[in-house]
Amino acid sequence: AQKVTQAQTEISVVEKEDVTLDCVYETRDTTYYLFWYKQPPSGELVFLIRRNSFDEQNEISGRYSWNFQKSTSSFNFTITASQVVDSAVYFCALGGSEKLVFGKGTKLTVNP
Amino acid sequence: EAGVAQSPRYKIIEKRQSVAFWCNPISGHATLYWYQQILGQGPKLLIQFQNNGVVDDSQLPKDRFSAERLKGVDSTLKIQPAKLEDSAVYLCASSSRAEREKLFFGSGTQLSVL
């Protein structure tokens, strides 16, 4: 069975700090997809990134970057120079031959 | 482009009552999903439709939950009768044939069962 673990339940930082959200996954599939979604207080899950299992290149998008390491089954998400608007719950998810499975989420609070 | 529309936004009912949620996916998206998100948890898939056919309903409590997607567009999710443990946010999502793994979510319906 597929499983996603987000060990950090809540993180609180001060604006402009860098923060990394951890995600560890388990799957027996050789081809799979990893995702990060953001859930602001409005409730809507917003797609941030999808990564295929055969593409281990790290990705940077503005202040966001993702570090995919197959060797450790991790797909960590870093926000550089955090802003108050980054405050949200962030979910890591795993998809493959089975249904999309979400972690329990990490609640990030960025204080001014 | 319009996103996934859901209604109502909030619903409060008493246990044993019935309730229905509505979802209109992004135009042209063939796949529609209903997720249940209990407070403090990640979303859990209840049912997945491909057009108007059910692809996966293995985690749907079929004794009380039902869903349909007539004509392969809008969908409704019904709970009858509701239990206290059904209190959650019910999220609808859709995806296209070209990018089935990329889900677009609605804002959800927050259900409170008293």
mmCIF file of all heavy atoms in Angstrom, chain A residues 33 35 37 39 41-45 47 50 91 99-100 102-104, chain B residues 9 35 37 41-43 45 56 58-59 91 101-103 105-107:
data_model
loop_
_atom_site.group_PDB
_atom_site.id
_atom_site.type_symbol
_atom_site.label_atom_id
_atom_site.label_comp_id
_atom_site.label_asym_id
_atom_site.label_seq_id
_atom_site.Cartn_x
_atom_site.Cartn_y
_atom_site.Cartn_z
ATOM 1 N N TYR A 33 3.984 9.267 -9.025
ATOM 2 C CA TYR A 33 4.013 10.727 -9.067
ATOM 3 C C TYR A 33 3.948 11.277 -7.652
ATOM 4 O O TYR A 33 3.243 10.744 -6.797
ATOM 5 C CB TYR A 33 2.809 11.264 -9.852
ATOM 6 C CG TYR A 33 2.732 10.754 -11.276
ATOM 7 C CD1 TYR A 33 2.057 9.579 -11.582
ATOM 8 C CD2 TYR A 33 3.351 11.452 -12.307
ATOM 9 C CE1 TYR A 33 1.997 9.115 -12.875
ATOM 10 C CE2 TYR A 33 3.294 10.987 -13.606
ATOM 11 C CZ TYR A 33 2.611 9.819 -13.887
ATOM 12 O OH TYR A 33 2.557 9.359 -15.169
ATOM 13 N N PHE A 35 3.365 14.917 -5.387
ATOM 14 C CA PHE A 35 2.736 16.228 -5.501
ATOM 15 C C PHE A 35 2.899 17.007 -4.193
ATOM 16 O O PHE A 35 3.042 16.430 -3.115
ATOM 17 C CB PHE A 35 1.222 16.088 -5.743
ATOM 18 C CG PHE A 35 0.841 15.281 -6.941
ATOM 19 C CD1 PHE A 35 0.846 13.898 -6.898
ATOM 20 C CD2 PHE A 35 0.454 15.906 -8.118
ATOM 21 C CE1 PHE A 35 0.484 13.143 -7.992
ATOM 22 C CE2 PHE A 35 0.085 15.166 -9.219
ATOM 23 C CZ PHE A 35 0.095 13.786 -9.157
ATOM 24 N N TYR A 37 0.533 20.160 -2.495
ATOM 25 C CA TYR A 37 -0.632 21.027 -2.586
ATOM 26 C C TYR A 37 -0.613 21.985 -1.399
ATOM 27 O O TYR A 37 -0.176 21.631 -0.309
ATOM 28 C CB TYR A 37 -1.938 20.221 -2.532
ATOM 29 C CG TYR A 37 -2.328 19.566 -3.823
ATOM 30 C CD1 TYR A 37 -1.840 18.297 -4.157
ATOM 31 C CD2 TYR A 37 -3.197 20.186 -4.711
ATOM 32 C CE1 TYR A 37 -2.208 17.679 -5.343
ATOM 33 C CE2 TYR A 37 -3.583 19.574 -5.898
ATOM 34 C CZ TYR A 37 -3.083 18.318 -6.206
ATOM 35 O OH TYR A 37 -3.453 17.721 -7.375
ATOM 36 N N GLN A 39 -3.110 24.388 1.013
ATOM 37 C CA GLN A 39 -4.492 24.613 1.402
ATOM 38 C C GLN A 39 -4.566 25.841 2.301
ATOM 39 O O GLN A 39 -4.322 25.764 3.500
ATOM 40 C CB GLN A 39 -5.083 23.396 2.110
ATOM 41 C CG GLN A 39 -6.583 23.500 2.347
ATOM 42 C CD GLN A 39 -7.183 22.229 2.898
ATOM 43 O OE1 GLN A 39 -6.607 21.587 3.783
ATOM 44 N NE2 GLN A 39 -8.356 21.841 2.392
ATOM 45 N N PRO A 41 -6.527 29.102 4.232
ATOM 46 C CA PRO A 41 -7.742 29.084 5.066
ATOM 47 C C PRO A 41 -9.044 29.003 4.264
ATOM 48 O O PRO A 41 -10.048 28.530 4.786
ATOM 49 C CB PRO A 41 -7.631 30.397 5.842
ATOM 50 C CG PRO A 41 -6.167 30.646 5.935
ATOM 51 C CD PRO A 41 -5.606 30.156 4.630
ATOM 52 N N SER A 42 -9.032 29.428 3.031
ATOM 53 C CA SER A 42 -10.246 29.360 2.213
ATOM 54 C C SER A 42 -10.677 27.921 1.947
ATOM 55 O O SER A 42 -11.821 27.663 1.587
ATOM 56 C CB SER A 42 -10.035 30.085 0.881
ATOM 57 O OG SER A 42 -8.992 29.466 0.150
ATOM 58 N N GLY A 43 -9.746 26.987 2.101
ATOM 59 C CA GLY A 43 -10.103 25.578 2.003
ATOM 60 C C GLY A 43 -9.763 24.901 0.689
ATOM 61 O O GLY A 43 -9.701 23.676 0.621
ATOM 62 N N GLU A 44 -9.562 25.667 -0.356
ATOM 63 C CA GLU A 44 -9.307 25.059 -1.662
ATOM 64 C C GLU A 44 -7.878 24.552 -1.746
ATOM 65 O O GLU A 44 -6.937 25.259 -1.436
ATOM 66 C CB GLU A 44 -9.555 26.102 -2.745
ATOM 67 C CG GLU A 44 -9.405 25.626 -4.150
ATOM 68 C CD GLU A 44 -9.775 26.720 -5.141
ATOM 69 O OE1 GLU A 44 -10.563 27.603 -4.764
ATOM 70 O OE2 GLU A 44 -9.268 26.688 -6.274
ATOM 71 N N LEU A 45 -7.698 23.338 -2.178
ATOM 72 C CA LEU A 45 -6.353 22.774 -2.360
ATOM 73 C C LEU A 45 -5.779 23.301 -3.670
ATOM 74 O O LEU A 45 -6.372 23.128 -4.733
ATOM 75 C CB LEU A 45 -6.406 21.255 -2.390
ATOM 76 C CG LEU A 45 -6.458 20.581 -1.038
ATOM 77 C CD1 LEU A 45 -7.140 19.236 -1.127
ATOM 78 C CD2 LEU A 45 -5.054 20.418 -0.481
ATOM 79 N N PHE A 47 -2.771 23.252 -6.396
ATOM 80 C CA PHE A 47 -1.665 22.453 -6.930
ATOM 81 C C PHE A 47 -0.393 23.302 -6.986
ATOM 82 O O PHE A 47 -0.404 24.419 -7.478
ATOM 83 C CB PHE A 47 -2.049 21.965 -8.330
ATOM 84 C CG PHE A 47 -0.931 21.316 -9.099
ATOM 85 C CD1 PHE A 47 -0.693 19.965 -8.974
ATOM 86 C CD2 PHE A 47 -0.135 22.067 -9.961
ATOM 87 C CE1 PHE A 47 0.323 19.362 -9.698
ATOM 88 C CE2 PHE A 47 0.879 21.472 -10.681
ATOM 89 C CZ PHE A 47 1.107 20.118 -10.555
ATOM 90 N N ARG A 50 4.067 18.718 -9.527
ATOM 91 C CA ARG A 50 4.026 17.275 -9.731
ATOM 92 C C ARG A 50 5.403 16.829 -10.193
ATOM 93 O O ARG A 50 6.017 17.479 -11.032
ATOM 94 C CB ARG A 50 3.004 16.908 -10.801
ATOM 95 C CG ARG A 50 2.954 15.415 -11.093
ATOM 96 C CD ARG A 50 2.058 15.100 -12.259
ATOM 97 N NE ARG A 50 2.623 15.557 -13.503
ATOM 98 C CZ ARG A 50 1.999 15.460 -14.671
ATOM 99 N NH1 ARG A 50 0.793 14.942 -14.729
ATOM 100 N NH2 ARG A 50 2.564 15.887 -15.772
ATOM 101 N N PHE A 91 0.200 19.917 1.839
ATOM 102 C CA PHE A 91 0.055 18.468 1.746
ATOM 103 C C PHE A 91 0.978 17.911 0.683
ATOM 104 O O PHE A 91 1.065 18.443 -0.438
ATOM 105 C CB PHE A 91 -1.381 18.085 1.374
ATOM 106 C CG PHE A 91 -2.378 18.348 2.464
ATOM 107 C CD1 PHE A 91 -3.103 19.520 2.481
ATOM 108 C CD2 PHE A 91 -2.593 17.406 3.463
ATOM 109 C CE1 PHE A 91 -4.029 19.771 3.483
ATOM 110 C CE2 PHE A 91 -3.516 17.649 4.473
ATOM 111 C CZ PHE A 91 -4.227 18.826 4.480
ATOM 112 N N LYS A 99 -4.847 4.798 -5.912
ATOM 113 C CA LYS A 99 -5.424 6.131 -5.802
ATOM 114 C C LYS A 99 -4.429 7.108 -5.189
ATOM 115 O O LYS A 99 -3.473 6.726 -4.526
ATOM 116 C CB LYS A 99 -6.682 6.079 -4.953
ATOM 117 C CG LYS A 99 -6.451 5.550 -3.529
ATOM 118 C CD LYS A 99 -7.718 5.457 -2.728
ATOM 119 C CE LYS A 99 -8.622 4.368 -3.200
ATOM 120 N NZ LYS A 99 -8.107 3.022 -2.981
ATOM 121 N N LEU A 100 -4.638 8.376 -5.426
ATOM 122 C CA LEU A 100 -3.792 9.426 -4.863
ATOM 123 C C LEU A 100 -3.928 9.415 -3.340
ATOM 124 O O LEU A 100 -5.033 9.457 -2.805
ATOM 125 C CB LEU A 100 -4.227 10.778 -5.421
ATOM 126 C CG LEU A 100 -3.320 11.983 -5.172
ATOM 127 C CD1 LEU A 100 -1.982 11.794 -5.852
ATOM 128 C CD2 LEU A 100 -3.993 13.248 -5.689
ATOM 129 N N PHE A 102 -2.757 11.167 0.291
ATOM 130 C CA PHE A 102 -2.234 12.396 0.874
ATOM 131 C C PHE A 102 -1.619 12.133 2.243
ATOM 132 O O PHE A 102 -2.074 11.247 2.982
ATOM 133 C CB PHE A 102 -3.362 13.423 1.063
ATOM 134 C CG PHE A 102 -3.829 14.069 -0.210
ATOM 135 C CD1 PHE A 102 -4.730 13.427 -1.038
ATOM 136 C CD2 PHE A 102 -3.362 15.325 -0.573
ATOM 137 C CE1 PHE A 102 -5.172 14.020 -2.210
ATOM 138 C CE2 PHE A 102 -3.798 15.932 -1.735
ATOM 139 C CZ PHE A 102 -4.702 15.275 -2.558
ATOM 140 N N GLY A 103 -0.612 12.930 2.580
ATOM 141 C CA GLY A 103 -0.132 12.951 3.944
ATOM 142 C C GLY A 103 -1.113 13.718 4.815
ATOM 143 O O GLY A 103 -2.123 14.234 4.330
ATOM 144 N N LYS A 104 -0.804 13.826 6.111
ATOM 145 C CA LYS A 104 -1.699 14.511 7.027
ATOM 146 C C LYS A 104 -1.525 16.020 7.001
ATOM 147 O O LYS A 104 -2.302 16.744 7.622
ATOM 148 C CB LYS A 104 -1.505 13.988 8.443
ATOM 149 C CG LYS A 104 -1.974 12.552 8.611
ATOM 150 C CD LYS A 104 -1.941 12.110 10.061
ATOM 151 C CE LYS A 104 -2.522 10.709 10.186
ATOM 152 N NZ LYS A 104 -2.569 10.247 11.593
ATOM 153 N N ARG B 9 -21.512 25.808 0.669
ATOM 154 C CA ARG B 9 -20.212 26.024 1.278
ATOM 155 C C ARG B 9 -20.190 25.444 2.687
ATOM 156 O O ARG B 9 -19.183 24.891 3.116
ATOM 157 C CB ARG B 9 -19.901 27.522 1.316
ATOM 158 C CG ARG B 9 -18.494 27.831 1.764
ATOM 159 C CD ARG B 9 -17.476 27.535 0.679
ATOM 160 N NE ARG B 9 -16.128 27.915 1.100
ATOM 161 C CZ ARG B 9 -15.291 27.105 1.751
ATOM 162 N NH1 ARG B 9 -15.681 25.893 2.079
ATOM 163 N NH2 ARG B 9 -14.097 27.531 2.092
ATOM 164 N N TYR B 35 -13.600 13.732 -2.299
ATOM 165 C CA TYR B 35 -12.706 13.444 -1.182
ATOM 166 C C TYR B 35 -13.382 13.873 0.125
ATOM 167 O O TYR B 35 -14.125 14.846 0.166
ATOM 168 C CB TYR B 35 -11.391 14.217 -1.294
ATOM 169 C CG TYR B 35 -10.388 13.626 -2.248
ATOM 170 C CD1 TYR B 35 -10.458 13.882 -3.619
ATOM 171 C CD2 TYR B 35 -9.354 12.810 -1.782
ATOM 172 C CE1 TYR B 35 -9.529 13.336 -4.491
ATOM 173 C CE2 TYR B 35 -8.424 12.270 -2.650
ATOM 174 C CZ TYR B 35 -8.521 12.539 -4.002
ATOM 175 O OH TYR B 35 -7.596 11.995 -4.858
ATOM 176 N N GLN B 37 -12.316 15.145 3.918
ATOM 177 C CA GLN B 37 -11.187 15.619 4.719
ATOM 178 C C GLN B 37 -11.651 15.890 6.134
ATOM 179 O O GLN B 37 -12.337 16.888 6.403
ATOM 180 C CB GLN B 37 -10.563 16.877 4.112
ATOM 181 C CG GLN B 37 -9.296 17.306 4.838
ATOM 182 C CD GLN B 37 -8.634 18.524 4.213
ATOM 183 O OE1 GLN B 37 -9.222 19.231 3.402
ATOM 184 N NE2 GLN B 37 -7.386 18.765 4.585
ATOM 185 N N GLN B 41 -6.556 15.994 9.097
ATOM 186 C CA GLN B 41 -6.122 14.883 8.249
ATOM 187 C C GLN B 41 -5.992 15.354 6.806
ATOM 188 O O GLN B 41 -6.497 16.409 6.431
ATOM 189 C CB GLN B 41 -7.167 13.757 8.290
ATOM 190 C CG GLN B 41 -7.522 13.291 9.684
ATOM 191 C CD GLN B 41 -6.770 12.070 10.086
ATOM 192 O OE1 GLN B 41 -6.339 11.285 9.245
ATOM 193 N NE2 GLN B 41 -6.580 11.898 11.377
ATOM 194 N N GLY B 42 -5.336 14.512 6.023
ATOM 195 C CA GLY B 42 -5.302 14.772 4.594
ATOM 196 C C GLY B 42 -6.576 14.255 3.939
ATOM 197 O O GLY B 42 -7.301 13.449 4.521
ATOM 198 N N PRO B 43 -6.867 14.722 2.741
ATOM 199 C CA PRO B 43 -8.071 14.252 2.037
ATOM 200 C C PRO B 43 -8.004 12.761 1.765
ATOM 201 O O PRO B 43 -6.936 12.224 1.464
ATOM 202 C CB PRO B 43 -8.045 15.051 0.724
ATOM 203 C CG PRO B 43 -7.169 16.219 0.997
ATOM 204 C CD PRO B 43 -6.154 15.750 1.974
ATOM 205 N N LEU B 45 -9.874 9.740 -0.577
ATOM 206 C CA LEU B 45 -10.754 9.539 -1.725
ATOM 207 C C LEU B 45 -11.970 8.705 -1.343
ATOM 208 O O LEU B 45 -11.848 7.639 -0.760
ATOM 209 C CB LEU B 45 -9.995 8.831 -2.848
ATOM 210 C CG LEU B 45 -10.809 8.559 -4.115
ATOM 211 C CD1 LEU B 45 -11.148 9.862 -4.826
ATOM 212 C CD2 LEU B 45 -10.052 7.628 -5.063
ATOM 213 N N ASP B 56 -13.441 4.033 -9.025
ATOM 214 C CA ASP B 56 -13.004 3.557 -7.714
ATOM 215 C C ASP B 56 -13.969 4.079 -6.664
ATOM 216 O O ASP B 56 -14.115 5.287 -6.521
ATOM 217 C CB ASP B 56 -11.576 4.037 -7.434
ATOM 218 C CG ASP B 56 -10.994 3.474 -6.138
ATOM 219 O OD1 ASP B 56 -11.748 2.958 -5.289
ATOM 220 O OD2 ASP B 56 -9.771 3.565 -5.953
ATOM 221 N N SER B 58 -13.963 2.184 -3.571
ATOM 222 C CA SER B 58 -13.617 1.217 -2.540
ATOM 223 C C SER B 58 -13.672 1.782 -1.121
ATOM 224 O O SER B 58 -13.817 1.040 -0.154
ATOM 225 C CB SER B 58 -12.217 0.642 -2.807
ATOM 226 O OG SER B 58 -11.269 1.687 -2.882
ATOM 227 N N GLN B 59 -13.530 3.104 -0.978
ATOM 228 C CA GLN B 59 -13.553 3.691 0.352
ATOM 229 C C GLN B 59 -14.844 4.453 0.624
ATOM 230 O O GLN B 59 -14.921 5.217 1.585
ATOM 231 C CB GLN B 59 -12.334 4.611 0.532
ATOM 232 C CG GLN B 59 -11.006 3.856 0.441
ATOM 233 C CD GLN B 59 -9.819 4.705 0.851
ATOM 234 O OE1 GLN B 59 -9.191 4.479 1.880
ATOM 235 N NE2 GLN B 59 -9.505 5.698 0.036
ATOM 236 N N LEU B 91 -14.573 17.539 -0.441
ATOM 237 C CA LEU B 91 -13.910 18.219 -1.545
ATOM 238 C C LEU B 91 -14.196 17.503 -2.850
ATOM 239 O O LEU B 91 -14.117 16.275 -2.925
ATOM 240 C CB LEU B 91 -12.402 18.247 -1.318
ATOM 241 C CG LEU B 91 -11.900 19.064 -0.132
ATOM 242 C CD1 LEU B 91 -10.492 18.636 0.246
ATOM 243 C CD2 LEU B 91 -11.921 20.548 -0.455
ATOM 244 N N GLU B 101 -3.245 13.026 -13.526
ATOM 245 C CA GLU B 101 -2.708 13.039 -12.165
ATOM 246 C C GLU B 101 -2.763 14.427 -11.528
ATOM 247 O O GLU B 101 -2.550 14.571 -10.322
ATOM 248 C CB GLU B 101 -1.252 12.568 -12.154
ATOM 249 C CG GLU B 101 -1.032 11.181 -12.731
ATOM 250 C CD GLU B 101 -0.986 11.185 -14.238
ATOM 251 O OE1 GLU B 101 -0.738 12.265 -14.822
ATOM 252 O OE2 GLU B 101 -1.217 10.132 -14.837
ATOM 253 N N LYS B 102 -3.035 15.439 -12.315
ATOM 254 C CA LYS B 102 -3.053 16.805 -11.788
ATOM 255 C C LYS B 102 -4.488 17.179 -11.453
ATOM 256 O O LYS B 102 -5.307 17.426 -12.341
ATOM 257 C CB LYS B 102 -2.468 17.778 -12.809
ATOM 258 C CG LYS B 102 -2.389 19.211 -12.310
ATOM 259 C CD LYS B 102 -1.704 20.094 -13.355
ATOM 260 C CE LYS B 102 -1.692 21.542 -12.921
ATOM 261 N NZ LYS B 102 -1.031 22.414 -13.929
ATOM 262 N N LEU B 103 -4.795 17.205 -10.174
ATOM 263 C CA LEU B 103 -6.148 17.466 -9.733
ATOM 264 C C LEU B 103 -6.366 18.936 -9.418
ATOM 265 O O LEU B 103 -5.507 19.586 -8.811
ATOM 266 C CB LEU B 103 -6.460 16.651 -8.472
ATOM 267 C CG LEU B 103 -6.960 15.210 -8.666
ATOM 268 C CD1 LEU B 103 -5.945 14.362 -9.417
ATOM 269 C CD2 LEU B 103 -7.302 14.590 -7.330
ATOM 270 N N PHE B 105 -9.006 21.298 -7.336
ATOM 271 C CA PHE B 105 -9.979 21.137 -6.266
ATOM 272 C C PHE B 105 -10.913 22.328 -6.156
ATOM 273 O O PHE B 105 -10.528 23.475 -6.426
ATOM 274 C CB PHE B 105 -9.262 20.969 -4.923
ATOM 275 C CG PHE B 105 -8.662 19.618 -4.709
ATOM 276 C CD1 PHE B 105 -7.411 19.304 -5.222
ATOM 277 C CD2 PHE B 105 -9.344 18.644 -3.986
ATOM 278 C CE1 PHE B 105 -6.854 18.045 -5.024
ATOM 279 C CE2 PHE B 105 -8.794 17.386 -3.778
ATOM 280 C CZ PHE B 105 -7.555 17.092 -4.295
ATOM 281 N N GLY B 106 -12.122 22.050 -5.701
ATOM 282 C CA GLY B 106 -13.056 23.091 -5.303
ATOM 283 C C GLY B 106 -12.788 23.513 -3.869
ATOM 284 O O GLY B 106 -11.891 22.964 -3.213
ATOM 285 N N SER B 107 -13.547 24.471 -3.390
ATOM 286 C CA SER B 107 -13.355 24.993 -2.031
ATOM 287 C C SER B 107 -13.966 24.092 -0.969
ATOM 288 O O SER B 107 -13.708 24.281 0.222
ATOM 289 C CB SER B 107 -13.950 26.392 -1.907
ATOM 290 O OG SER B 107 -13.267 27.280 -2.765
#
